[in-house]
Amino acid sequence: MTETADDLSAPLGQDKPRRKRRLRLPFTAMQLLAVLLGLFLLTFAGFAIFNKDPLGGEPMTRLAIRAPDATDEKPAASGHGSESKPEGKHETKETPKQAAPGEQKTITMIDGSTGARHDVVIGGGDAADKGEAASAAPSVMAGINPKLLEKSRYGMIPVVADGLKPFNVYAADADRAKAAKMPVVAIVIGGLGVGAAKTTDAIMKLPPAVTLAFTPYGADPGKLAERARAQRHEIFLQIPMEPYDFPDNDPGPQTLLTSLSPDQNMDRLYWHLSRMQGYAGLTNFMGARFIATEPAMQPIIREAAKRGLGFFDDGSSPRSIAPQAAANQAMPFGKGDIAIDVVPTPTEIDRALNKLESTARERGIAVGTASALPVSIERIGAWTKTLGDRGILLVPLTTAMLKSKSS
């Protein structure tokens, strides 16, 4: 074999073939994995943002509701009903059962584009206004004069008719001739309707002359109010009003607020008025700020007077404008003199009752307020049994209000 000059000059042991150059990637495998993961997360975020699904993929059902046709054997789903989910999601179609005549059912509808929830009443009358979460309006209570009711969007509310006013029609029976000649005491037990046990105790253990004030809350306050009227108690409706420390101290849903317009507060008042029937008047539930704010309180007093109701100020706000507002409307008015169970012990309750008795002797009229605590019911019940023997007449609140107006 012939050797070239290059072969002779090449170093010994360096005759290995030259390696081919490898292609080097600009990033490692871990970097590639990170990029792919980032793209996945970006795609998922974009789907969540632009898909307009505020419920985040929660399983949903589309309900189609329409009035059944007279010729239908059973209700059929409509293609134009309310939707509870956006297109493209897994869904199930259902047809709700038709409500029985007079029966009301409330279903919660979820707007698929905004996530807004609406409680809608179906059956037994018109559906609740969309956009307003409202429970089904209670049925008319027994013993109620239908002429003294008118329909609102929330239910039946009191009205004056044929010269009759709810204050006079639903006032409890009393010997008003006797009350005009001797000192009288009225007692108002408030906070009823929430808590069936304590409400029932007040209804059954206290004499009929004790007036019972119901809040608009509870599962069925109208049923308990109906029972109270059956036991010959007169009833008042408590209207939740704004206290000074609101919202830390919150009376409850649909509270009347000084920050709302008169129209907004009137709408809330109608909601409260529709919760039950048969009350002779209204009274504040909390509300030290509201009842002392004239622009907020004046429309409420005017509306109560227009509907033939009385107003009772529980006396908790020394700056209340209710007395002057009621006088301007020439409506029946009363004000609490003594809170009986501020300190809920037998000794302190007895002391407050003795003070109430002394006030009645001095002024001819005294009104006490209390809650339905067991100790309050027990001590008030015992005190009223011997009140007549001491020359003082226990009367319903309406009787005391009328005596106060005439004196």
Side-chain angles (χ1 to χ4, degrees):
M1 180 178 64
T2 306
E3 294 182 354
T4 66
D6 289 339
D7 292 333
L8 292 174
S9 61
L12 295 175
Q14 299 298 319
D15 56 351
K16 295 181 179 179
R18 185 175 297 175
R19 294 182 180 180
K20 294 182 179 180
R21 182 175 295 175
R22 295 182 178 178
L23 178 64
R24 292 179 176 271
L25 295 175
F27 40 76
T28 65
M30 291 299 295
Q31 291 173 325
L32 177 61
L33 181 61
V35 170
L36 292 175
L37 180 60
L39 289 173
F40 173 78
L41 293 176
L42 183 62
T43 302
F44 181 81
F47 178 81
I49 292 173
F50 297 108
N51 191 50
K52 296 182 180 180
D53 184 2
L55 301 177
E58 178 182 342
M60 290 172 281
T61 300
R62 172 182 294 178
L63 297 178
I65 303 174
R66 68 177 179 85
D69 189 83
T71 59
D72 290 347
E73 293 184 1
K74 61 180 180 179
S78 168
H80 304 285
S82 300
E83 294 188 0
S84 60
K85 63 173 290 302
E87 294 295 338
K89 292 284 186 179
H90 174 72
E91 63 186 50
T92 302
K93 292 185 178 179
E94 294 182 0
T95 303
K97 294 181 179 179
Q98 182 182 356
E103 180 184 1
Q104 292 179 324
K105 293 184 181 296
T106 302
I107 62 172
T108 300
M109 306 298 294
I110 305 174
D111 189 321
S113 60
T114 66
R117 296 170 180 261
H118 308 294
D119 287 347
V120 180
V121 181
I122 58 174
D126 295 332
D129 225 38
K130 289 185 178 180
E132 284 284 340
S135 60
S139 58
V140 176
M141 293 160 44
I144 302 302
N145 187 338
K147 292 183 179 180
L148 299 182
L149 294 174
E150 73 174 6
K151 188 176 182 180
S152 75
R153 72 191 190 106
Y154 296 115
M156 306 304 288
I157 60 178
V159 69
V160 175
D162 299 334
L164 298 176
K165 296 182 177 181
F167 178 86
N168 298 321
V169 172
Y170 301 128
D173 293 334
D175 189 342
R176 293 178 182 171
K178 187 176 181 181
K181 300 176 182 178
M182 59 187 298
V184 300
V185 162
I187 294 179
V188 181
I189 306 295
L192 302 179
V194 178
K198 71 173 185 178
T199 300
T200 300
D201 279 350
I203 293 171
M204 304 306 296
K205 294 181 179 180
L206 292 173
V210 173
T211 298
L212 305 181
F214 286 77
T215 71
Y217 307 129
D220 192 355
K223 184 176 181 180
L224 293 169
E226 188 175 63
R227 185 174 183 182
R229 295 188 69 250
Q231 293 296 319
R232 297 182 294 119
H233 293 279
E234 71 181 14
I235 64 173
F236 271 59
L237 175 64
Q238 291 182 291
I239 305 297
M241 299 178 178
E242 178 185 354
Y244 279 109
D245 52 353
F246 181 87
D248 293 334
N249 194 7
D250 190 350
Q254 304 286 349
T255 292
L256 306 190
L257 301 174
T258 57
S259 59
L260 298 179
S261 69
D263 286 344
Q264 289 173 311
N265 277 324
M266 199 61 62
D267 185 72
R268 292 187 172 202
L269 176 66
Y270 287 174
W271 185 90
H272 295 303
L273 295 180
S274 70
R275 297 303 93 190
M276 64 186 74
Q277 298 90 35
Y279 42 87
L282 309 179
T283 178
N284 58 299
F285 179 59
M286 300 171 60
R289 179 190 294 276
F290 191 92
I291 205 170
T293 306
E294 186 170 359
M297 190 63 186
Q298 283 278 12
I300 303 303
I301 292 291
R302 284 197 300 268
E303 188 69 15
K306 184 180 77 172
R307 296 189 174 278
L309 301 168
F311 190 84
F312 174 67
D313 180 344
D314 69 3
S316 60
S317 176
R319 297 163 57 186
S320 172
I321 63 96
Q324 297 82 5
N328 292 339
Q329 300 297 321
M331 69 186 297
F333 176 80
K335 187 172 183 179
D337 297 302
I338 296 172
I340 295 169
D341 55 0
V342 173
V343 181
T345 63
T347 300
E348 291 303 318
I349 289 174
D350 288 346
R351 182 177 286 113
L353 291 171
N354 289 335
K355 185 176 180 181
L356 187 67
E357 187 174 330
S358 299
T359 302
R361 294 184 191 281
E362 294 170 6
R363 292 171 30 195
I365 308 169
V367 181
T369 59
S371 58
L373 295 171
V375 63
S376 302
I377 292 175
E378 191 273 325
R379 296 314 304 155
I380 292 171
W383 178 75
T384 58
K385 289 178 180 178
T386 58
L387 188 60
D389 297 339
R390 300 192 295 276
I392 296 179
L393 183 64
L394 177 68
V395 299
L397 175 60
T398 52
T399 300
M401 293 167 72
L402 290 172
K403 180 175 180 176
S404 176
K405 188 176 181 180
S406 61
S407 61

